[in-house]
């Protein structure tokens, strides 16, 4: 599933081709994309709008429109956006929406599993909608160890589960949480509220920003469906330190990477670099 680095990559690639352009045709083929609203009504509302900005908050893409409204796009598990000259992309049963731009190009939304959403929000609806669902933006300067401490304080959930929670921190998913915890040398089952030491909070803050920046620098990770708007794959999957690498040697200490389940998710870590905390009990690995 696309996480912050993948969504940010899509945003950066689409920004120059979308901003300033007008929608001259909008077709929403899958009612599930916009429910509970009617696809034809949403398409009619979007038709004729001009894009004035393309933003991102957590894993949401924010298409800012001339009217003051915003189209909020969430790719969920398998959504992807392609941009190409009109008619150059093969039609395919997983195409859920097509937006014609005035310059003769199209933005095509494709989604195999169909969990992605397009939500058209009125001018005053965007900020409260996002504030209710999302915590701090981890790559902003305002995201500091103190801010992280406040988000984790008093929580008994495993650190991994707390970091997956979008209200703790916006934009992290299974890949980048595992990568950040390896960088910070913290066990995924460590109770979140036990991260109180200043040095550990600094290390974790740095690790989160570092893991996300590494992902953006490599245009995201392509495991299955994710691709950039021009169809090329990301490269981050070749540089994972732990994610999906069970049994392979840890780059720091050579110990085989271990795999457990945390919060229902496959979780990879180094049993030596990320020792199991005493408070969790159980075997060392
Ligand atoms: Zn190690």
């Amino acid at each position: 599933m696309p996480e912050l680095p993948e969504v940010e990559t899509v945003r950066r690639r689409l920004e120059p081709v979308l901003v300033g352009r007008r929608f001259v045709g909008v077709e929403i083929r899958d009612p599930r994309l916009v429910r509970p609203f009617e696809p034809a009504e949403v398409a009619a509302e979007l038709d004729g709008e001009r894009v004035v900005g393309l933003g991102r908050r957590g894993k949401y893409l924010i298409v800012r429109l001339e009217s003051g409204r915003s189209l909020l796009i969430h790719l969920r598990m398998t959504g992807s956006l392609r941009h190409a000259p009109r008619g150059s992309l093969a039609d395919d049963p997983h195409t859920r929406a097509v937006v014609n731009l005035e310059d003769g190009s199209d933005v095509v939304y494709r989604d195999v599993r169909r969990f992605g959403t397009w939500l058209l929000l009125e001018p005053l609806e965007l900020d409260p909608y996002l504030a209710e669902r999302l915590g701090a933006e981890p790559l902003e300067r305002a995201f500091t160890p103190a801010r992280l401490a406040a988000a984790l304080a008093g929580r008994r959930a495993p650190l991994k589960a707390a970091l997956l929670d979008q209200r703790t921190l916006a934009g992290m998913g299974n890949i980048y949480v595992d990568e950040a915890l390896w960088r910070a040398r913290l066990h995924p089952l460590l109770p979140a509220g036990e991260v109180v030491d200043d040095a550990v909070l600094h290390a974790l803050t740095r690790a989160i920003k570092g893991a996300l920046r590494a992902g953006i620098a490599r245009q995201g990770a392509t495991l299955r469906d994710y691709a950039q708007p021009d169809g090329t794959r990301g490269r981050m999957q070749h540089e994972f330190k732990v994610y999906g690498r069970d049994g392979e040697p840890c780059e720091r200490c050579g110990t085989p990477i271990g795999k457990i389940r945390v919060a229902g998710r496959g979780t990879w870590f180094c049993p030596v670099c990320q020792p199991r905390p005493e408070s969790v009990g159980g075997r060392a690995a």
Side-chain angles (χ1 to χ4, degrees):
M1 148 164 180
E3 303 179 26
L4 188 156
E6 288 75 35
V7 178
E8 178 60 20
T9 300
V10 170
R11 191 197 70 74
R12 291 181 183 188
R13 293 300 167 102
L14 284 182
E15 188 176 40
V17 300
L18 267 185
V19 175
R21 302 265 153 74
R22 192 176 295 283
F23 297 164
V24 295
V26 177
E27 184 192 355
I28 294 169
R29 296 186 188 172
D30 183 4
R32 202 166 139 165
L33 190 59
V34 295
R35 74 181 176 193
F37 302 100
E38 281 298 317
E41 281 174 26
V42 176
E45 292 287 334
L46 288 171
D47 206 353
E49 281 274 19
R50 186 189 296 275
V51 179
V52 295
L54 188 61
R56 180 192 56 74
R57 183 78 170 85
K59 302 176 196 170
Y60 288 97
L61 269 178
I62 306 167
V63 185
R64 296 180 187 279
L65 304 167
E66 193 173 42
S67 63
R69 296 184 296 185
S70 303
L71 176 66
L72 200 56
I73 298 180
H74 200 303
L75 305 172
R76 298 290 167 194
M77 293 182 71
T78 57
S80 66
L81 287 159
R82 289 286 300 273
H83 175 257
R86 186 155 311 143
S88 68
L89 293 174
D91 216 2
D92 121 14
H94 303 301
T95 297
R96 309 298 176 195
V98 179
V99 176
N100 308 131
L101 301 178
E102 61 185 335
D103 67 347
S105 65
D106 285 346
V107 172
V108 174
Y109 179 76
R110 190 174 178 276
D111 194 342
V112 175
R113 300 285 302 274
R114 303 170 66 213
F115 291 114
T117 53
W118 284 25
L119 178 63
L120 183 60
L121 291 171
E122 295 300 320
L124 296 175
E125 291 176 337
L126 179 68
D127 290 345
Y129 184 93
L130 294 173
E132 201 174 291
R133 289 164 176 80
L134 302 176
E137 195 64 34
L139 292 181
E140 280 182 1
R141 205 177 287 261
F143 177 65
T144 58
R147 188 89 191 262
L148 178 61
L152 299 177
R155 296 177 67 163
R156 267 181 279 179
L159 185 53
K160 168 147 184 184
L163 294 176
L164 285 173
D165 179 351
Q166 299 301 294
R167 289 162 303 179
T168 308
L169 202 58
M172 304 275 280
N174 211 33
I175 292 175
Y176 294 96
V177 169
D178 282 7
E179 294 293 300
L181 291 177
W182 180 85
R183 284 171 176 248
R185 300 177 186 248
L186 294 174
H187 195 283
L189 286 174
L190 177 69
E194 289 184 20
V195 182
V196 290
D197 182 83
D198 254 355
V200 177
L201 284 163
H202 274 86
L204 181 54
T205 306
R206 204 163 44 235
I208 288 168
K209 291 177 188 268
L212 293 172
R213 287 199 182 113
I216 293 172
R218 288 157 188 84
Q219 289 84 43
T222 298
L223 298 177
R224 292 185 50 182
D225 301 86
Y226 165 76
Q228 300 180 63
D230 65 358
T232 55
R233 296 159 59 86
R235 291 179 288 112
M236 186 60 195
Q237 66 279 9
H238 305 305
E239 311 223 2
F240 290 153
K241 307 296 187 188
V242 286
Y243 185 86
R245 297 189 61 229
D246 38 313
E248 293 177 39
C250 168
E251 180 183 299
R252 266 190 313 239
C253 73
T255 306
I257 298 299
K259 184 183 182 187
I260 54 176
R261 283 191 90 73
V262 180
R265 313 291 299 275
T267 297
W268 290 270
F269 70 108
C270 172
V272 171
C273 294
Q274 298 165 263
R276 197 178 183 98
E278 281 168 26
S279 59
V280 173
R283 291 184 306 118

